[in-house]
Amino acid sequence: MKKVISLLGMILLCCGISYATKVSITDNWKFTPSDSENFASSGLDDSKWRTVSIPHTWNDKDIIDEQRGYRRAASWYRKHLNIPLEMKGRKIVLLFEGVGSKADVYLNGEHLKTHMGAYTAFTVDITGHCKFGEKNILAVRADNSSSLGEVLPPVSGDFSMLGGIYRRVFLQTYHPVHFDFEPYASTPVLVQTPVVSEESAQVKLSCRIKNDADKNSKLSLVFALLDKEGKVVSRKKMKVKVDVGQSLPVDLEMASVNNPHLWSPDSPYLYTLKATIVDDKEGTLLQEVDSPLGFRWFSVDKTGFYLNGEYLKLRGAARHQDYWGLGAAIPSEINYQDMKLLKEMGANFIRISHYPQDPEIYRACDELGLVAWSEICIVNEVKKNETFALNSAEMLKEMIYQNYNHPSVVMWGAMNELWDYHDEAIRLAKELERIKKELDPYRLSCVAFHAFTWEKPYKQNSKEMFNISDINAVNVYESWYHGNFSTIAPMFDKFRNYSENKPRFLSEFGAGSDERVHTYSPRTFDFSPEFQLAFNREYINQMESRPDYVGY
């Protein structure tokens, strides 16, 4: 901890108190796999608790042992924070990139925030609650109890809902006048590229300037778009006045970029948007943020997917965030490496399934050139209560606002393999579709169906579900869980009939294998690599012969 504080002090001395800082606080956390309200107390002796580093999950071992099930309950984390006296007068904010599944955050015994959802980031403003130059006790109750499924997706799934502070935590400081990131831990400046061609590209920006100071502020806002070599290709400057307590919305359009470098899987060219806030009276730089920007345009219809005006078959994989021996507590470099391996395999696409993942995944997709489908974790079931619907909507907003500027993201998803399209599920699907289009009208929406759920008699609403999103996808496991090679093509034909008016996508398929098992006569579910190879060839051949399927 002393090293972290020393680093904070050096940053403050070098930059002055006007600049923003972001420092990871990942070491020397105390952990106990038990639950008590007393654990939030600043006077508690936690010296006998286990010392852990973040990212951390308590399910790293029981998820792979020989015993059925894994621990789903509440646990506590505590950290002693010494916040330098030099930070007084700053805005002090904690950023949690992911806590599974419900988080309650306390500082010095005071409850400051509850966050619902394991897969999106959240912030906690501790400015008025911390002690400067003294010890602060940060306590976090993390809960992955199965009972949360009544009010919080996912209810269930073919993946594990692991507990813990399993992504990074940062201590951030800002000038009291800053880009507003609340209430969804949003990227500070939202970038849209509504019209792009080989000749020119439009850039629209949207942000809010928050004044948490004790006086009104006159500011200069400067937005500069830099190419890969650092050359400014478009620039916009404006003056604003922000009153005390105000969060001022700012929307503007920059000068068009002529002959833009286009982003694609073959050439993932990235620009950088640099946005700054300058105090007019003092001439002081208050905040500077950088964001990736990629120019591309895309469309989809029943003939397939088109990127920058050219037909592109999307080929890739679906990816979960679990790792052997680590659970979901994966170092960022491993997340990035997974995307490199996918790219080296020859893929141009990833389904980030079934939940938003580590920020490194999205950064890697931008830099490596992987078209991405990002989705929230409504899997299998929609509960029939308002709290479930509200938490789902909030989760969707967090995913979109936090990943808005990534050019790799082309599709937003919300639902996967629902078993029952009851009236509440239909209403929620329509509401989530409305949110997607309201927040981000330029990206596509998608939904993934199970290959059989729409056919059962009690699924009378399934046809309505087929008409909500831009793209209908299907998870097909013919010749694995059921059927054989001869039933694969008829299933794709049947889905085309159900989704006649929408583009289609093969969102899941697969067969397991065990490298210890080999056979000269491969057959369904024998777990031989020989069958897996034949299985994959059959599906790939089917997809390559069906241009109406956007990808697989």
Side-chain angles (χ1 to χ4, degrees):
M1 189 64 222
K2 290 181 180 179
K3 291 183 179 179
V4 172
I5 296 305
S6 174
L7 176 60
L8 282 171
M10 289 177 61
I11 292 173
L12 290 166
L13 287 172
C14 293
C15 300
I17 63 168
S18 62
Y19 221 124
T21 64
K22 181 178 180 179
V23 178
S24 63
I25 49 171
T26 57
D27 61 339
N28 293 323
W29 286 74
K30 293 294 185 175
F31 168 76
T32 181
S34 52
D35 188 18
S36 169
E37 292 182 2
N38 295 330
F39 293 164
S41 171
S42 58
L44 178 77
D45 180 9
D46 56 24
S47 60
K48 297 188 184 308
W49 289 19
R50 183 152 61 96
T51 301
V52 300
S53 295
I54 305 299
H56 176 267
T57 176
W58 59 78
N59 297 125
D60 55 336
K61 295 180 175 61
D62 65 358
I63 197 67
I64 55 174
D65 62 20
E66 297 299 322
Q67 303 301 313
R68 184 177 180 84
Y70 57 100
R71 182 174 180 268
R72 301 193 65 179
S75 296
W76 282 79
Y77 296 83
R78 286 166 59 93
K79 183 167 180 62
H80 297 203
L81 280 177
N82 292 310
I83 300 178
L85 194 60
E86 295 90 342
M87 287 188 178
K88 198 165 187 177
R90 310 277 293 158
K91 187 175 180 70
I92 316 296
V93 177
L94 295 168
L95 171 66
F96 292 84
E97 290 188 336
V99 179
S101 294
K102 175 186 176 184
D104 285 286
V105 181
Y106 300 78
L107 190 71
N108 301 323
E110 181 184 0
H111 182 263
L112 298 184
K113 187 157 191 172
T114 296
H115 180 262
M116 302 292 285
Y119 308 108
T120 45
F122 64 95
T123 56
V124 185
D125 186 349
I126 64 172
T127 308
H129 310 276
C130 59
K131 296 179 288 188
F132 295 93
E134 300 181 48
K135 182 176 70 174
N136 295 266
I137 303 298
L138 172 62
V140 181
R141 181 181 186 269
D143 187 1
N144 69 334
S145 298
S146 56
S147 59
L148 288 169
E150 289 298 317
V151 295
L152 179 70
V155 179
S156 60
D158 60 349
F159 56 96
S160 302
M161 281 64 85
L162 308 187
I165 305 177
Y166 74 96
R167 292 183 191 160
R168 295 172 298 183
V169 183
F170 294 92
L171 180 67
Q172 303 180 131
T173 72
Y174 301 91
H175 189 277
V177 179
H178 57 277
F179 289 108
D180 202 353
F181 47 82
E182 289 292 18
Y184 299 111
S186 170
T187 186
V189 181
L190 304 180
V191 180
Q192 293 178 339
T193 55
V195 180
V196 178
S197 69
E198 293 181 353
E199 291 76 32
S200 67
Q202 284 185 355
V203 179
K204 290 185 176 181
L205 307 179
S206 178
C207 62
R208 301 180 74 91
I209 311 300
K210 184 71 181 297
N211 186 354
D212 287 326
D214 56 4
K215 61 181 179 179
N216 299 338
S217 294
K218 292 182 178 180
L219 310 168
S220 290
L221 308 180
V222 182
F223 302 92
L225 185 62
L226 284 63
D227 64 15
K228 192 174 287 187
E229 286 71 43
K231 178 183 176 183
V232 176
V233 297
S234 184
R235 189 174 184 271
K236 187 88 169 185
K237 183 177 181 180
M238 64 186 299
K239 293 184 179 294
V240 297
K241 179 177 178 290
V242 189
D243 295 335
V244 173
Q246 184 181 14
S247 181
L248 178 72
V250 175
D251 297 284
L252 60 94
E253 183 172 339
M254 300 185 70
S256 295
V257 177
N258 295 323
N259 303 313
H261 295 275
L262 299 180
W263 184 95
S264 71
D266 291 335
S267 179
Y269 192 97
L270 293 175
Y271 292 81
T272 299
L273 177 74
K274 190 175 292 292
T276 58
I277 304 175
V278 177
D279 182 277
D280 270 355
K281 184 178 180 180
E282 304 292 337
T284 307
L285 176 65
L286 305 186
Q287 190 175 8
E288 180 179 86
V289 297
D290 290 350
S291 181
L293 188 153
F295 291 117
R296 76 283 185 268
W297 78 94
F298 50 85
S299 62
V300 64
D301 58 30
K302 290 189 290 184
T303 66
F305 178 79
Y306 296 84
L307 180 66
N308 301 331
E310 298 183 359
Y311 176 83
L312 179 66
K313 192 78 166 187
L314 298 178
R315 306 176 178 94
R319 191 258 187 182
H320 278 299
Q321 65 182 12
D322 305 289
Y323 233 83
W324 177 267
L326 297 173
I330 307 171
S332 295
E333 56 269 24
I334 291 181
N335 284 302
Y336 199 100
Q337 178 64 19
D338 274 2
M339 297 302 98
K340 285 185 68 176
L341 293 172
L342 185 61
K343 183 70 176 183
E344 291 168 3
M345 186 182 78
N348 59 18
F349 170 80
I350 178 174
R351 181 184 179 194
I352 303 174
S353 57
H354 294 296
Y355 37 78
Q357 295 183 19
D358 190 283
E360 285 297 291
I361 295 294
Y362 297 87
R363 183 171 76 90
C365 291
D366 291 343
E367 295 177 355
L368 300 173
L370 290 168
V371 175
W373 160 350
S374 185
E375 63 192 1
I376 62 171
C377 54
I378 301 176
V379 180
N380 293 351
E381 185 179 354
V382 169
K383 289 294 184 179
K384 300 177 182 180
N385 64 75
E386 292 183 7
T387 305
F388 186 94
L390 175 62
N391 285 332
S392 299
E394 292 295 285
M395 190 182 296
L396 177 64
K397 292 173 186 176
E398 287 176 330
M399 176 181 71
I400 293 176
Y401 277 125
Q402 291 169 20
N403 300 289
Y404 204 96
N405 293 354
H406 291 291
S408 56
V409 178
V410 167
M411 291 176 273
W412 299 122
M415 293 183 171
N416 176 73
E417 286 193 356
L418 291 193
W419 297 329
D420 190 353
Y421 304 111
H422 51 71
D423 291 344
E424 287 85 350
I426 294 293
R427 279 197 293 271
L428 180 57
K430 290 180 176 179
E431 172 61 12
L432 297 181
E433 185 71 11
R434 184 195 66 77
I435 291 171
K436 292 176 205 170
K437 296 306 183 184
E438 178 184 336
L439 299 186
D440 189 0
Y442 302 110
R443 283 188 172 95
L444 301 168
S445 63
C446 53
V447 61
F449 294 86
H450 188 279
F452 286 112
T453 53
W454 67 78
E455 294 188 296
K456 295 182 179 179
Y458 58 87
K459 310 291 184 185
Q460 66 268 23
N461 291 334
S462 60
K463 281 289 188 180
E464 191 170 1
M465 186 71 82
F466 274 97
N467 292 315
I468 294 175
S469 296
D470 296 325
I471 298 173
N472 288 331
V474 63
N475 303 337
V476 177
Y477 290 95
E478 294 295 320
S479 196
W480 186 242
Y481 295 123
H482 38 68
N484 51 51
F485 282 177
S486 68
T487 64
I488 296 174
M491 180 56 72
F492 291 138
D493 294 335
K494 186 179 295 185
F495 188 68
R496 183 177 59 221
N497 294 334
Y498 272 88
S499 182
E500 188 175 3
N501 298 319
K502 297 278 187 176
R504 293 167 289 280
F505 202 110
L506 174 57
S507 42
E508 288 182 31
F509 71 99
S513 70
D514 184 331
E515 63 182 9
R516 299 168 299 177
V517 177
H518 291 281
T519 179
Y520 288 108
S521 304
R523 54 186 174 81
T524 296
F525 226 71
D526 66 5
F527 282 89
S528 70
E530 290 79 13
F531 178 79
Q532 186 183 56
L533 177 61
F535 177 97
N536 288 336
R537 281 175 173 166
E538 183 67 27
Y539 274 82
I540 290 170
N541 289 338
Q542 285 291 333
M543 285 297 101
E544 293 297 326
S545 66
R546 296 172 184 265
D548 56 311
Y549 275 77
V550 169
Y552 62 94

